C-alpha cells in the first residue's frame, strides 16, 4: 500500500494531467509506445534517465516512473538513472521527494546510496549518482531518456540504447541558496511526477 501522504500527492497529479503541454504529451506518448512494444514482445522494458550529474532531474524521473508503474499495476518495467558525470543525489532533491511523501533512508557518505520507498510492501529503490554506463545500469536493450539538454547535446551516442528520447526539464539548481529554493524544487518534482504518471497511465489504457 502506497504511503498515505504520497497517495494524496498522487491524487493531485492525476487530476492535473490536463496541464501538460501538447508537445510534451506527444513526447511522453512516444516513450509509452516504446514500453508497450516491449511488453507486447514479452520483454522487460528498461528506462535509463540521463542528465549531466545524475543529481536531480534524472533521479526524480526514475523514482516517479517506478512509483507510477506500481500505482497502475504495470509489471516488467525497470527504471534507472545516470549522468555524463557522477556527483551525488542532491539533498535538496531528496528533501523534495520526502515532502511529497516518500520515505528515504540515508546512509550518509560522499555519494550515499539512498533507499527510497513508496510503500512498506515494496523493495526500496536504490538511488545514488553514477555515470549512465555504470555496471548498476543496463548495458543493452534499454531506452535512454535524456532529461537535460546539456546531456542530450554532449552525449550524441548512448552505447546499448535501442531507443532514445529527449524529455528535458529546467534544472532546479538555479534556485540553490535562494529563498525560493524549496519552492522551485517542489515545482520541478511535481512537474516530473505529473508527466511520468501521465506516461504510465497511457500504458495502462494500452494494455
Amino acid at each position: 500500500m502506497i504511503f498515505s501522504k504520497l497517495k494524496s500527492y498522487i491524487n493531485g497529479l492525476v487530476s492535473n494531467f490536463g496541464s501538460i503541454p501538447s508537445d510534451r504529451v506527444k513526447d511522453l506518448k512516444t516513450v509509452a509506445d516504446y514500453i508497450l512494444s516491449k511488453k507486447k514482445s514479452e520483454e522487460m522494458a528498461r528506462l535509463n534517465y540521463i542528465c549531466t550529474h545524475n543529481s536531480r532531474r534524472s533521479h526524480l524521473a526514475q523514482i516517479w516512473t517506478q512509483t507510477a508503474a506500481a500505482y497502475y499495476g504495470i509489471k516488467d518495467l525497470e527504471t534507472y538513472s545516470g549522468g555524463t558525470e557522477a556527483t551525488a543525489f542532491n539533498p535538496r532533491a531528496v528533501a523534495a521527494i520526502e515532502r511529497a511523501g516518500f520515505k528515504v533512508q540515508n546512509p550518509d557518505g560522499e555519494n550515499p546510496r539512498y533507499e527510497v520507498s513508496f510503500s512498506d510492501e515494496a523493495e526500496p529503490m536504490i538511488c545514488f549518482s553514477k555515470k549512465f554506463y555504470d555496471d548498476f545500469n543496463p548495458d543493452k536493450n534499454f531506452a535512454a531518456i535524456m532529461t537535460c539538454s546539456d546531456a542530450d547535446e554532449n552525449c550524441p551516442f548512448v552505447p546499448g540504447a535501442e531507443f532514445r528520447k529527449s524529455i528535458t526539464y529546467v534544472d532546479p539548481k538555479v534556485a540553490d541558496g535562494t529563498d525560493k529554493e524549496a519552492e522551485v524544487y517542489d515545482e520541478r518534482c511535481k512537474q516530473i511526477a505529473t508527466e511520468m504518471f501521465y506516461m504510465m497511465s497511457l500504458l495502462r489504457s494500452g494494455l
Side-chain angles (χ1 to χ4, degrees):
M1 183 179 295
I2 293 176
F3 300 131
S4 59
K5 180 181 177 180
L6 182 57
K7 184 67 178 296
S8 295
Y9 186 98
I10 290 169
N11 290 339
L13 302 177
V14 173
S15 65
N16 203 39
F17 286 165
S19 69
I20 303 173
S22 58
D23 58 332
R24 296 186 71 83
V25 164
K26 182 179 179 180
D27 290 338
L28 294 165
K29 285 182 176 179
T30 300
V31 179
D33 286 343
Y34 164 79
I35 299 170
L36 186 58
S37 71
K38 298 294 285 187
K39 295 184 73 63
K40 286 181 176 178
S41 300
E42 298 184 346
E43 298 178 66
M44 178 71 72
R46 297 180 174 89
L47 308 183
N48 191 0
Y49 292 95
I50 300 172
C51 64
T52 302
H53 299 112
N54 191 207
S55 59
R56 298 170 175 83
R57 292 163 289 179
S58 50
H59 279 296
L60 295 176
Q62 171 192 1
I63 289 165
W64 281 115
T65 303
Q66 197 70 59
T67 303
Y71 179 84
Y72 286 117
I74 297 167
K75 302 183 185 299
D76 300 323
L77 184 145
E78 296 174 349
T79 63
Y80 303 85
S81 66
T84 56
E85 303 174 30
T87 54
F89 189 2
N90 191 277
R92 300 171 183 86
V94 174
I97 62 170
E98 288 181 308
R99 287 192 292 271
F102 288 94
K103 292 183 180 178
V104 180
Q105 294 293 323
N106 179 4
D108 295 321
E110 187 174 329
N111 182 13
R113 293 196 175 205
Y114 292 93
E115 295 185 5
V116 180
S117 300
F118 56 79
S119 167
D120 285 329
E121 286 76 43
E123 287 292 319
M125 293 170 274
I126 308 301
C127 300
F128 64 102
S129 185
K130 69 200 88 61
K131 292 186 177 181
F132 65 83
Y133 50 81
D134 188 272
D135 289 344
F136 192 83
N137 292 342
D139 60 2
K140 62 181 179 180
N141 302 328
F142 66 90
I145 312 300
M146 315 305 287
T147 59
C148 85
S149 56
D150 285 346
D152 194 30
E153 293 168 3
N154 296 320
C155 192
F157 174 65
V158 178
E162 62 180 3
F163 173 90
R164 175 179 176 144
K165 188 65 182 176
S166 176
I167 302 179
T168 63
Y169 298 94
V170 176
D171 195 341
K173 75 176 181 181
V174 297
D176 287 5
T178 73
D179 58 0
K180 296 286 188 180
E181 184 178 278
E183 178 183 342
V184 170
Y185 273 83
D186 287 345
E187 287 175 354
R188 193 64 60 246
C189 182
K190 185 176 182 180
Q191 179 192 10
I192 293 173
T194 300
E195 294 190 356
M196 296 304 103
F197 262 77
Y198 173 73
M199 187 171 74
M200 288 296 102
S201 76
L202 296 176
L203 270 174
R204 180 191 60 175
S205 61
L207 295 175

